[in-house]
Structures are given as C-alpha cells and as structure tokens.
Amino acid sequence: MGKLFLSLVVVLSLAGTGVAGANKDNASFQQMASQINADAWVVMDNRTGRIIAERNKDMRYYPASITKIGTAIMALERGRLDDVVTISKAAAATEGSSLELTSGDKLTLRDLLYGIILHSGNDGAAAIAEHISGDENQFAKEMTLFLRTIGARNTNFTNASGLPDDQHYTTASDMAVITRYAMSNPVFRDIAAAKSYDWKDELWSKRLEDHERPEAKILGLSWDGTAQIVNHNRLLTLYEGAIGVKNGFTDEARYTLVGAAQRNGTELIAVALKSENAVSAYQDMAKLLDYGFTVTATETVANEQPVEVVESQAELPRYAGKAEEPAQPVIDPESASSGGNPGILYLLTGILGFIAVSYLVYALRKPKRNVR
C-alpha cells in the first residue's frame, strides 16, 4: 500500500496548484493580500479572462450598486438607446440613491443608462427594468439567466439596482466575468468612462445640484451651473489609467467596487467586495490593479482567446434565455465567509474515488491462496 499512499500525496499536492495556488507562495502576493481590506477580490486580465490573483473569489456576497453593470449591459442588448421611457409611479418611488425622477417623466434609455452608471440612480434602474421586461421582478429573473449564459453561474439578482435582499447575491469572480463582457460593448465603455453627462433642464432639481456639485469638485470638473450628473466612481481621478467601472454601497454589502484600467497595452479588471469604508475600497482597488500590472509586465500572458470589442451594438450577441427557467438555489449571503467552495467537495470526492479504485486494483493483483 506504500505506492497508494505516495499517489495520494501526489494528488493532494497537485490539487492546490494553479494561478491562485502559485500566487499564495509568492512573497509579493502575500504582501499585497495582507494589505487588502475587502473580504473577497479578483484581479483579471481583460484580454484573456485569466484570473491573476484572488481571495474568496467564489464566495457569495451582496453586490449593492455594482448590480447596475448587469442591468446596463442587459438593457443595451434588449433595448435601443433612443427608446423613450416613461417613468412609472413604482419606479419613481424606488428607495435609495435617486435621480429625483417623478411619475410621468420621459427620458431616453441612453439618459437612464448614464443615470444609473454615473449617478447610481435606483429609480432609473427600476425604470429600465420595467421598460425592458414589463416589471422589475421579471427583469431580474431574465437578467440572472442572461448573466448565466455569459458565465456568471453563481449570481442571482432579484432587482435592477442592488438593493439588499437575501436572494440577491454575486461573487467576485462572477462580477469580473460580467464586467469583462460589459466592457466588450463600446457603448458601455463610453458610459463607464464618462465623468459627466448633460441632464434635462426640466428634470433638474436643487437636490440633484446639491448632490452633484461636490462630486464634480472631487473629479476636478468645473461647475458652470448647467444641469449635469457626475460620475461617482472616484477611481477615474484617483488611479492613473482608470477607465471605469462602478462603485456601490449598502449597509449589508458595505462598500463594493469594480474597476478597470489600462497601462502599457494591458487592460485589467478588478473587483473588491465588502470593504469597510469608501477610502479602503479605493485603496484596495489601487493595490489590486498595481499588483496585476506588475504581474502582467513580468510573466507570459496565458494562451487564451481574447474578448473582441465589437464595432456596433447591432453586432452584439442577443440574449435568448427563457425567463421561466428556475433561478439558482437560494443562499444567505451572510453565511458566505463560512460557506464552502464546491471545488473542495469535488476534490474530496475525487480523492475517495482514487482510493477506492487503487484498492480494487491492489486486491485484484494480490495472489490468491487455495482455500479448501
């Protein structure tokens, strides 16, 4: 049985290999990881989809407003930018961050997309959902299925904005996949990178101005009194080469942040979930991106197929999922930190199977004694 034991040791040693496993033995990785406040995070090469570094990438957490990345790309594939959307009473009453919309207001889908990505308007997200699918609940079901078709298989959304719900969750890995897909759309890229967007004068309010004026100052934008919404993703100013993407906050999710940046021909996506405060979220993002650029500058890029940036919205693949398909099993995101990675279960099952097969081979080869 000595060979069996040796084989088992080999299986166990190989089980921990891979990008993340190798990184965990790397001193620079350990130094970077020890400084990250977020509970879960991922750094991905946008060209190849390769995960450069991660922690708790498959654990489920509340996403807060980074949900709107999914809402936006879903809307871009199902609607048209010049569609006119009439705001319903239900959408206008959506709680949380608001574009101060009122029932009967009319905006284009383009306006609302800028409104939800730059200003993070929950009312705008609800209005988009109603326009695309009839009601927000139906939209959330369709969005979950749509995101599953592009590879986000551990995500379940119950609304379009990111308001907390026990059944509304995602993972750092899934958010990187969702963002990578979204960033292949040139319209989404333009929206995510915009620092401001002209708003309709008739929909402007003192409350909106009081909210946006200090954000403009943080981004270094001059305020000339015109109606304009400002991007609340401060990474655009804080990090050299930043090109988006979206920030979020709720009491349950704490601070969430998805960032994308370009340097020296490399484009990275990073996700940080459950940072304790806004300052630490942006600090986390800078450290993750710095580490990713250092790694990609010194190692060979993995041989994987890139995501092509399409030339027009018409060339994007169209979602064809069925809304009546069942959603993923519900999980309480609060148990994420103690939850298990399904890979561990697969590993244990494989080890047990290996032992059983090896023992069977050993038994069959063992000389038989004559028994009378």
Side-chain angles (χ1 to χ4, degrees), residues 277-299:
N277 54 59
V279 172
S280 65
Y282 287 107
Q283 289 175 343
D284 287 348
M285 186 57 56
K287 290 169 185 174
L288 292 172
L289 291 170
D290 282 348
Y291 179 80
F293 283 123
T294 298
V295 169
T296 55
T298 57
E299 69 178 23

Side-chain angles (χ1 to χ4, degrees), residues 2-255:
K3 291 183 178 179
L4 175 60
F5 176 76
L6 179 60
S7 299
L8 181 59
V9 171
V10 172
V11 171
L12 288 170
S13 64
L14 290 176
T17 61
V19 175
N23 272 328
K24 290 175 182 177
D25 293 328
N26 183 291
S28 61
F29 171 85
Q30 293 287 3
Q31 181 179 9
M32 179 274 294
S34 68
Q35 298 173 355
I36 302 299
N37 171 265
D39 275 14
W41 44 264
V42 158
V43 184
M44 175 184 282
D45 185 328
N46 189 38
R47 187 181 73 84
T48 66
R50 182 175 65 104
I51 291 180
I52 297 169
E54 57 84 16
R55 181 169 69 197
N56 295 335
K57 69 182 178 67
D58 294 320
M59 295 296 184
R60 295 175 179 180
Y61 291 88
Y62 295 114
S65 284
I66 59 176
T67 297
K68 295 182 178 87
I69 297 173
T71 298
I73 192 60
M74 173 82 165
L76 284 170
E77 295 210 3
R78 297 285 296 274
R80 291 290 179 265
L81 292 173
D82 292 330
D83 288 350
V84 176
V85 181
T86 301
I87 307 303
S88 71
K89 184 177 180 179
T94 305
E95 63 179 306
S97 179
S98 175
L99 288 162
E100 305 298 325
L101 301 176
T102 59
S103 178
D105 287 344
K106 295 182 182 297
L107 300 91
T108 64
L109 182 60
R110 178 187 287 104
D111 293 333
L112 289 172
L113 287 170
Y114 275 93
I116 71 170
I117 296 299
L118 274 63
H119 184 84
S120 205
N122 291 348
D123 47 358
I128 288 174
E130 292 175 353
H131 176 71
I132 297 297
S133 301
D135 66 70
E136 188 171 7
N137 183 59
Q138 180 69 10
F139 177 86
K141 291 179 181 178
E142 294 178 359
M143 176 165 57
T144 295
L145 291 168
F146 162 60
L147 297 178
R148 193 178 302 173
T149 67
I150 65 174
R153 302 187 181 279
N154 205 16
T155 292
N156 190 74
F157 288 157
T158 60
N159 58 68
S161 61
L163 287 170
D165 184 292
D166 285 347
Q167 299 179 38
H168 190 97
Y169 55 80
T170 190
T171 69
S173 178
D174 274 9
M175 280 310 309
V177 168
I178 293 167
T179 303
R180 184 182 183 226
Y181 184 87
M183 292 295 280
S184 72
N185 185 312
V187 176
F188 180 88
R189 290 176 71 94
D190 287 346
I191 295 172
K195 289 188 175 183
S196 65
Y197 179 75
D198 290 341
W199 205 240
K200 289 188 174 182
D201 289 334
E202 61 270 26
L203 299 182
W204 195 243
S205 68
K206 179 66 165 55
R207 187 170 176 179
L208 268 178
E209 181 170 338
D210 289 344
H211 200 279
E212 298 299 74
R213 186 187 294 271
E215 293 293 334
K217 184 177 181 180
I218 291 171
L219 287 179
L221 301 175
S222 59
W223 189 274
D224 58 6
T226 59
Q228 58 177 323
I229 56 173
V230 177
N231 200 323
H232 293 189
N233 179 11
R234 299 174 183 180
L235 190 70
L236 292 172
T237 296
L238 296 173
Y239 193 81
E240 180 183 357
I243 54 175
V245 180
K246 187 77 185 77
N247 58 308
F249 169 80
T250 64
D251 288 336
E252 293 81 359
R254 302 309 298 162
Y255 290 82

